[in-house]
Amino acid sequence: MGIFGNRKSATTATAAVNPELAALTGDYTIDPTHSTLGFVARHAMVTNVKGSFVDFSGSLHLDGSDPSRSSASLDVKMDSITTGNADRDGHLKTADFFKTDEFPTMTFRSTKAEALGGDDYRITGDLSILGVTRPITIDLEFNGVAKDPYGNDRAGFEGKAEILRSDWGLTWNAALETGGVLVSDKIKLNFDISAIRNA
């Protein structure tokens, strides 16, 4: 379970291809009902606020024999952001943050994929928010494959990344009387992806 413990570094990994993944070369559609796109932000310097996006679509191309030829694409509806608090969600949709009326969609398009060895992979791509496109690197763990009760071939991945929201122009904040700011610049991203092989 690489990214949560004993992941080899990119320089020491043998980059051996998981045979389960090698057998699943093909095109896949991300299943949003069994996938999660989440984030964590530090609030008031002392606690974490967790949120997610619930309306998104995406596709994967997996090349099991040569993972470097794999790719991913994702489109996220920004109005679907949820943090468990309606007032906070409403604020996040305003001009202080995501300006969802003007920029309704966040996108990710991969530009590079790497096998790091074992179940560990890395994908690099362009993340576009507020009309700003910047690179992001995501460490992925391959969770395995299965055939569901409906006969679909599924592949599962977990992913983690960290970004600075200011890199995309998300700079709103408020100073605290005790020092520091209300919302952290660093945002942790986490992904649980279930993808169905296209017929």
Side-chain angles (χ1 to χ4, degrees):
M1 307 299 280
I3 61 176
F4 301 110
N6 299 319
R7 178 167 64 87
K8 298 176 183 178
S9 71
T11 57
T12 61
T14 60
V17 176
N18 185 307
E20 286 185 309
L21 187 63
L24 281 181
T25 295
D27 295 315
Y28 291 75
T29 298
I30 293 174
D31 177 6
T33 62
H34 295 96
S35 301
T36 302
L37 303 181
F39 61 88
V40 180
R42 181 74 72 176
H43 179 262
M45 309 293 290
V46 298
T47 191
N48 290 324
V49 169
K50 298 179 180 180
S52 64
F53 297 93
V54 298
D55 188 357
F56 56 89
S57 60
S59 61
L60 306 175
H61 174 73
L62 302 182
D63 189 322
S65 60
D66 184 359
S68 69
R69 299 169 70 176
S70 299
S71 60
S73 175
L74 189 66
D75 294 271
V76 181
K77 299 297 184 184
M78 300 305 285
D79 265 337
S80 72
I81 192 169
T82 178
T83 63
N85 180 285
D87 289 340
R88 180 167 56 218
D89 295 347
H91 188 199
L92 289 169
K93 298 174 186 180
T94 69
D96 284 343
F97 287 95
F98 290 116
K99 306 179 185 178
T100 58
D101 287 343
E102 185 178 354
F103 301 98
T105 306
M106 173 174 62
T107 65
F108 173 81
R109 301 290 183 266
S110 68
T111 56
K112 182 180 180 181
E114 304 169 80
L116 302 182
D119 290 331
D120 296 332
Y121 298 83
R122 180 170 293 153
I123 189 165
T124 302
D126 293 327
L127 180 66
S128 297
I129 308 173
L130 296 175
V132 177
T133 301
R134 294 183 62 89
I136 179 176
T137 298
I138 303 167
D139 284 337
L140 292 172
E141 181 177 9
F142 175 53
N143 282 345
V145 298
K147 188 176 289 290
D148 68 23
Y150 304 101
N152 299 309
D153 289 322
R154 289 181 178 267
F157 296 87
E158 291 181 64
K160 290 182 178 291
E162 291 185 357
I163 63 172
L164 298 179
R165 62 188 180 93
S166 58
D167 287 344
W168 284 265
L170 291 160
T171 56
W172 183 91
N173 229 319
L176 302 175
E177 290 184 9
T178 53
V181 292
L182 186 64
V183 184
S184 62
D185 190 23
K186 183 172 72 174
I187 305 296
K188 297 179 180 180
L189 307 179
N190 50 79
F191 314 91
D192 281 293
I193 300 297
S194 178
I196 299 173
R197 189 174 188 171
N198 298 345

